[in-house]
mmCIF file of all heavy atoms in Angstrom:
data_model
loop_
_atom_site.group_PDB
_atom_site.id
_atom_site.type_symbol
_atom_site.label_atom_id
_atom_site.label_comp_id
_atom_site.label_asym_id
_atom_site.label_seq_id
_atom_site.Cartn_x
_atom_site.Cartn_y
_atom_site.Cartn_z
ATOM 1 N N ARG I 115 77.684 -14.760 21.264
ATOM 2 C CA ARG I 115 76.575 -15.697 21.276
ATOM 3 C C ARG I 115 75.570 -15.394 22.350
ATOM 4 O O ARG I 115 74.564 -16.090 22.514
ATOM 5 C CB ARG I 115 77.113 -17.120 21.494
ATOM 6 C CG ARG I 115 77.956 -17.660 20.345
ATOM 7 C CD ARG I 115 78.476 -19.060 20.740
ATOM 8 N NE ARG I 115 79.495 -19.560 19.857
ATOM 9 C CZ ARG I 115 79.242 -20.301 18.773
ATOM 10 N NH1 ARG I 115 78.005 -20.665 18.507
ATOM 11 N NH2 ARG I 115 80.228 -20.719 18.029
ATOM 12 N N PRO I 117 72.517 -13.692 24.604
ATOM 13 C CA PRO I 117 71.199 -13.143 24.208
ATOM 14 C C PRO I 117 71.232 -11.619 24.293
ATOM 15 O O PRO I 117 71.996 -11.047 25.029
ATOM 16 C CB PRO I 117 70.289 -13.716 25.308
ATOM 17 C CG PRO I 117 71.156 -13.918 26.503
ATOM 18 C CD PRO I 117 72.520 -14.264 25.972
ATOM 19 N N SER I 118 70.362 -10.989 23.488
ATOM 20 C CA SER I 118 70.219 -9.546 23.577
ATOM 21 C C SER I 118 68.794 -9.169 23.186
ATOM 22 O O SER I 118 68.149 -9.895 22.408
ATOM 23 C CB SER I 118 71.204 -8.833 22.655
ATOM 24 O OG SER I 118 71.050 -9.219 21.328
ATOM 25 N N LEU I 119 68.348 -8.041 23.691
ATOM 26 C CA LEU I 119 66.965 -7.604 23.420
ATOM 27 C C LEU I 119 66.782 -7.513 21.886
ATOM 28 O O LEU I 119 67.537 -6.779 21.206
ATOM 29 C CB LEU I 119 66.724 -6.225 24.072
ATOM 30 C CG LEU I 119 65.351 -5.600 23.839
ATOM 31 C CD1 LEU I 119 64.251 -6.487 24.449
ATOM 32 C CD2 LEU I 119 65.307 -4.205 24.432
ATOM 33 N N HIS I 120 65.795 -8.243 21.336
ATOM 34 C CA HIS I 120 65.542 -8.292 19.881
ATOM 35 C C HIS I 120 66.750 -8.686 19.063
ATOM 36 O O HIS I 120 66.872 -8.313 17.884
ATOM 37 C CB HIS I 120 65.013 -6.946 19.359
ATOM 38 C CG HIS I 120 63.703 -6.507 19.928
ATOM 39 N ND1 HIS I 120 63.027 -7.178 20.898
ATOM 40 C CD2 HIS I 120 62.947 -5.388 19.674
ATOM 41 C CE1 HIS I 120 61.929 -6.526 21.251
ATOM 42 N NE2 HIS I 120 61.839 -5.452 20.492
ATOM 43 N N ASN I 121 67.700 -9.371 19.660
ATOM 44 C CA ASN I 121 68.938 -9.744 18.984
ATOM 45 C C ASN I 121 69.629 -8.526 18.362
ATOM 46 O O ASN I 121 70.170 -8.610 17.246
ATOM 47 C CB ASN I 121 68.673 -10.838 17.921
ATOM 48 C CG ASN I 121 69.961 -11.610 17.575
ATOM 49 O OD1 ASN I 121 70.926 -11.633 18.331
ATOM 50 N ND2 ASN I 121 69.920 -12.242 16.412
ATOM 51 N N GLU I 153 68.097 -2.579 29.312
ATOM 52 C CA GLU I 153 68.206 -3.898 28.685
ATOM 53 C C GLU I 153 69.399 -3.965 27.719
ATOM 54 O O GLU I 153 69.940 -5.068 27.515
ATOM 55 C CB GLU I 153 66.907 -4.262 28.014
ATOM 56 C CG GLU I 153 65.773 -4.449 28.999
ATOM 57 C CD GLU I 153 64.499 -4.825 28.325
ATOM 58 O OE1 GLU I 153 63.760 -3.896 27.911
ATOM 59 O OE2 GLU I 153 64.246 -6.016 28.148
ATOM 60 N N LEU I 156 72.116 -4.690 30.082
ATOM 61 C CA LEU I 156 71.947 -6.086 30.535
ATOM 62 C C LEU I 156 72.436 -7.079 29.471
ATOM 63 O O LEU I 156 73.133 -8.052 29.772
ATOM 64 C CB LEU I 156 70.456 -6.279 30.827
ATOM 65 C CG LEU I 156 70.010 -7.419 31.720
ATOM 66 C CD1 LEU I 156 68.740 -7.043 32.445
ATOM 67 C CD2 LEU I 156 69.799 -8.694 30.943
ATOM 68 N N SER I 157 72.109 -6.772 28.188
ATOM 69 C CA SER I 157 72.552 -7.655 27.108
ATOM 70 C C SER I 157 74.075 -7.682 27.061
ATOM 71 O O SER I 157 74.698 -8.758 26.852
ATOM 72 C CB SER I 157 72.002 -7.163 25.768
ATOM 73 O OG SER I 157 70.571 -7.066 25.801
ATOM 74 N N ARG I 215 72.833 -22.954 24.463
ATOM 75 C CA ARG I 215 71.882 -22.032 25.058
ATOM 76 C C ARG I 215 71.113 -21.282 23.956
ATOM 77 O O ARG I 215 71.697 -20.872 22.955
ATOM 78 C CB ARG I 215 72.569 -20.976 25.944
ATOM 79 C CG ARG I 215 71.548 -20.013 26.590
ATOM 80 C CD ARG I 215 72.070 -18.594 26.672
ATOM 81 N NE ARG I 215 72.389 -18.016 25.379
ATOM 82 C CZ ARG I 215 71.487 -17.459 24.548
ATOM 83 N NH1 ARG I 215 70.226 -17.410 24.881
ATOM 84 N NH2 ARG I 215 71.857 -16.925 23.401
ATOM 85 N N HIS I 216 69.869 -21.128 24.072
ATOM 86 C CA HIS I 216 69.082 -20.314 23.156
ATOM 87 C C HIS I 216 67.799 -19.855 23.875
ATOM 88 O O HIS I 216 67.475 -20.404 24.931
ATOM 89 C CB HIS I 216 68.722 -21.133 21.887
ATOM 90 C CG HIS I 216 67.724 -22.223 22.210
ATOM 91 N ND1 HIS I 216 68.057 -23.372 22.881
ATOM 92 C CD2 HIS I 216 66.402 -22.330 21.925
ATOM 93 C CE1 HIS I 216 67.003 -24.142 22.999
ATOM 94 N NE2 HIS I 216 65.963 -23.557 22.454
ATOM 95 N N THR I 217 67.162 -18.868 23.352
ATOM 96 C CA THR I 217 65.881 -18.421 23.888
ATOM 97 C C THR I 217 64.832 -19.399 23.391
ATOM 98 O O THR I 217 64.694 -19.544 22.165
ATOM 99 C CB THR I 217 65.580 -16.994 23.443
ATOM 100 O OG1 THR I 217 66.641 -16.161 23.941
ATOM 101 C CG2 THR I 217 64.243 -16.516 24.018
ATOM 102 N N ARG I 219 61.282 -20.671 22.467
ATOM 103 C CA ARG I 219 59.904 -20.254 22.175
ATOM 104 C C ARG I 219 59.035 -21.412 21.723
ATOM 105 O O ARG I 219 57.886 -21.230 21.378
ATOM 106 C CB ARG I 219 59.876 -19.079 21.163
ATOM 107 C CG ARG I 219 60.631 -17.879 21.643
ATOM 108 C CD ARG I 219 60.438 -16.656 20.771
ATOM 109 N NE ARG I 219 61.351 -15.596 21.165
ATOM 110 C CZ ARG I 219 62.607 -15.449 20.688
ATOM 111 N NH1 ARG I 219 63.054 -16.311 19.793
ATOM 112 N NH2 ARG I 219 63.366 -14.478 21.071
ATOM 113 N N VAL I 294 65.506 -10.606 15.357
ATOM 114 C CA VAL I 294 64.947 -11.940 15.679
ATOM 115 C C VAL I 294 64.508 -12.582 14.347
ATOM 116 O O VAL I 294 63.613 -12.040 13.647
ATOM 117 C CB VAL I 294 63.730 -11.842 16.644
ATOM 118 C CG1 VAL I 294 63.187 -13.202 17.022
ATOM 119 C CG2 VAL I 294 64.123 -11.060 17.883
ATOM 120 N N ARG I 313 56.021 -12.197 23.122
ATOM 121 C CA ARG I 313 56.016 -10.870 22.481
ATOM 122 C C ARG I 313 55.514 -11.073 21.020
ATOM 123 O O ARG I 313 55.845 -12.087 20.407
ATOM 124 C CB ARG I 313 57.436 -10.349 22.471
ATOM 125 C CG ARG I 313 57.546 -8.851 22.504
ATOM 126 C CD ARG I 313 58.978 -8.543 22.262
ATOM 127 N NE ARG I 313 59.719 -8.257 23.478
ATOM 128 C CZ ARG I 313 59.764 -7.099 24.119
ATOM 129 N NH1 ARG I 313 59.054 -6.085 23.676
ATOM 130 N NH2 ARG I 313 60.521 -6.919 25.149
ATOM 131 N N PHE I 315 56.186 -10.839 17.918
ATOM 132 C CA PHE I 315 57.194 -10.580 16.904
ATOM 133 C C PHE I 315 56.611 -10.541 15.480
ATOM 134 O O PHE I 315 57.111 -9.869 14.591
ATOM 135 C CB PHE I 315 58.283 -11.677 16.940
ATOM 136 C CG PHE I 315 59.107 -11.631 18.173
ATOM 137 C CD1 PHE I 315 59.032 -12.623 19.156
ATOM 138 C CD2 PHE I 315 60.049 -10.616 18.385
ATOM 139 C CE1 PHE I 315 59.833 -12.574 20.292
ATOM 140 C CE2 PHE I 315 60.850 -10.551 19.511
ATOM 141 C CZ PHE I 315 60.735 -11.554 20.474
ATOM 142 N N LEU I 354 72.088 -13.366 34.459
ATOM 143 C CA LEU I 354 71.153 -14.025 33.537
ATOM 144 C C LEU I 354 71.903 -15.091 32.723
ATOM 145 O O LEU I 354 71.425 -16.237 32.657
ATOM 146 C CB LEU I 354 70.578 -12.958 32.571
ATOM 147 C CG LEU I 354 69.735 -13.489 31.422
ATOM 148 C CD1 LEU I 354 68.434 -14.082 31.946
ATOM 149 C CD2 LEU I 354 69.417 -12.402 30.363
ATOM 150 N N LEU I 370 62.178 -15.906 27.578
ATOM 151 C CA LEU I 370 62.420 -14.645 28.217
ATOM 152 C C LEU I 370 61.243 -13.695 27.949
ATOM 153 O O LEU I 370 60.761 -13.617 26.803
ATOM 154 C CB LEU I 370 63.697 -13.959 27.658
ATOM 155 C CG LEU I 370 65.016 -14.466 28.289
ATOM 156 C CD1 LEU I 370 65.229 -15.977 28.171
ATOM 157 C CD2 LEU I 370 66.203 -13.739 27.646
ATOM 158 N N HIS I 371 60.765 -13.033 28.980
ATOM 159 C CA HIS I 371 59.626 -12.080 28.828
ATOM 160 C C HIS I 371 59.997 -10.743 29.478
ATOM 161 O O HIS I 371 59.998 -10.632 30.684
ATOM 162 C CB HIS I 371 58.384 -12.638 29.510
ATOM 163 C CG HIS I 371 57.916 -13.955 28.948
ATOM 164 N ND1 HIS I 371 57.014 -14.036 27.902
ATOM 165 C CD2 HIS I 371 58.243 -15.215 29.263
ATOM 166 C CE1 HIS I 371 56.769 -15.304 27.596
ATOM 167 N NE2 HIS I 371 57.536 -16.046 28.421
ATOM 168 N N SER I 372 60.318 -9.781 28.638
ATOM 169 C CA SER I 372 60.700 -8.504 29.237
ATOM 170 C C SER I 372 59.666 -7.395 29.186
ATOM 171 O O SER I 372 59.856 -6.397 29.876
ATOM 172 C CB SER I 372 62.037 -8.000 28.636
ATOM 173 O OG SER I 372 61.960 -7.949 27.258
ATOM 174 N N PRO I 373 58.552 -7.502 28.444
ATOM 175 C CA PRO I 373 57.626 -6.353 28.435
ATOM 176 C C PRO I 373 57.188 -5.946 29.858
ATOM 177 O O PRO I 373 57.102 -4.734 30.163
ATOM 178 C CB PRO I 373 56.419 -6.871 27.645
ATOM 179 C CG PRO I 373 57.003 -7.861 26.664
ATOM 180 C CD PRO I 373 58.139 -8.494 27.447
ATOM 181 N N ILE I 396 64.030 -9.125 34.657
ATOM 182 C CA ILE I 396 63.404 -9.862 33.556
ATOM 183 C C ILE I 396 62.629 -11.055 34.098
ATOM 184 O O ILE I 396 62.978 -11.596 35.182
ATOM 185 C CB ILE I 396 64.506 -10.308 32.547
ATOM 186 C CG1 ILE I 396 63.861 -10.766 31.195
ATOM 187 C CG2 ILE I 396 65.434 -11.377 33.087
ATOM 188 C CD1 ILE I 396 64.834 -10.802 30.030
ATOM 189 N N THR I 409 70.428 -18.630 16.612
ATOM 190 C CA THR I 409 70.003 -17.472 15.775
ATOM 191 C C THR I 409 71.291 -16.809 15.235
ATOM 192 O O THR I 409 72.364 -17.015 15.795
ATOM 193 C CB THR I 409 69.221 -16.453 16.648
ATOM 194 O OG1 THR I 409 69.964 -16.259 17.867
ATOM 195 C CG2 THR I 409 67.848 -16.993 16.998
ATOM 196 N N ARG I 411 74.374 -14.223 14.171
ATOM 197 C CA ARG I 411 75.139 -13.161 14.834
ATOM 198 C C ARG I 411 75.926 -12.404 13.749
ATOM 199 O O ARG I 411 76.293 -12.994 12.701
ATOM 200 C CB ARG I 411 76.105 -13.739 15.858
ATOM 201 C CG ARG I 411 75.432 -14.363 17.060
ATOM 202 C CD ARG I 411 74.717 -13.343 17.907
ATOM 203 N NE ARG I 411 74.148 -13.921 19.150
ATOM 204 C CZ ARG I 411 72.960 -14.481 19.260
ATOM 205 N NH1 ARG I 411 72.142 -14.546 18.222
ATOM 206 N NH2 ARG I 411 72.561 -14.962 20.449
HETATM 207 C C1 FMN D 43 67.212 -8.056 27.982
HETATM 208 C C2 FMN D 43 66.540 -9.062 27.093
HETATM 209 C C3 FMN D 43 65.167 -9.058 26.881
HETATM 210 C C4 FMN D 43 64.556 -10.017 26.077
HETATM 211 N N1 FMN D 43 63.203 -10.030 25.954
HETATM 212 C C5 FMN D 43 62.553 -10.991 25.252
HETATM 213 C C6 FMN D 43 61.145 -11.094 25.176
HETATM 214 O O1 FMN D 43 60.420 -10.286 25.780
HETATM 215 N N2 FMN D 43 60.608 -12.068 24.421
HETATM 216 C C7 FMN D 43 61.387 -13.042 23.780
HETATM 217 O O2 FMN D 43 60.828 -13.907 23.157
HETATM 218 N N3 FMN D 43 62.727 -12.953 23.826
HETATM 219 C C8 FMN D 43 63.350 -11.987 24.549
HETATM 220 N N4 FMN D 43 64.700 -11.936 24.635
HETATM 221 C C9 FMN D 43 65.508 -12.898 23.882
HETATM 222 C C10 FMN D 43 66.092 -12.320 22.606
HETATM 223 O O3 FMN D 43 65.105 -12.082 21.647
HETATM 224 C C11 FMN D 43 67.175 -13.313 22.113
HETATM 225 O O4 FMN D 43 68.246 -13.343 23.007
HETATM 226 C C12 FMN D 43 67.741 -12.959 20.754
HETATM 227 O O5 FMN D 43 66.745 -12.989 19.769
HETATM 228 C C13 FMN D 43 68.890 -13.898 20.333
HETATM 229 O O6 FMN D 43 68.445 -15.223 20.338
HETATM 230 P P1 FMN D 43 69.027 -16.363 21.291
HETATM 231 O O7 FMN D 43 68.836 -15.925 22.712
HETATM 232 O O8 FMN D 43 68.231 -17.590 20.967
HETATM 233 O O9 FMN D 43 70.486 -16.526 20.997
HETATM 234 C C14 FMN D 43 65.335 -10.978 25.445
HETATM 235 C C15 FMN D 43 66.730 -10.999 25.643
HETATM 236 C C16 FMN D 43 67.307 -10.068 26.463
HETATM 237 C C17 FMN D 43 68.817 -10.138 26.714
#
Side-chain angles (χ1 to χ4, degrees):
R115 293 178 191 267
S118 58
L119 180 62
H120 297 2
N121 201 19
E153 293 180 273
L156 200 150
S157 303
R215 181 218 60 82
H216 68 288
T217 300
R219 299 191 189 87
V294 183
R313 207 188 263 277
F315 291 110
L354 173 68
L370 278 57
H371 299 270
S372 54
I396 194 161
T409 49
R411 293 294 185 270

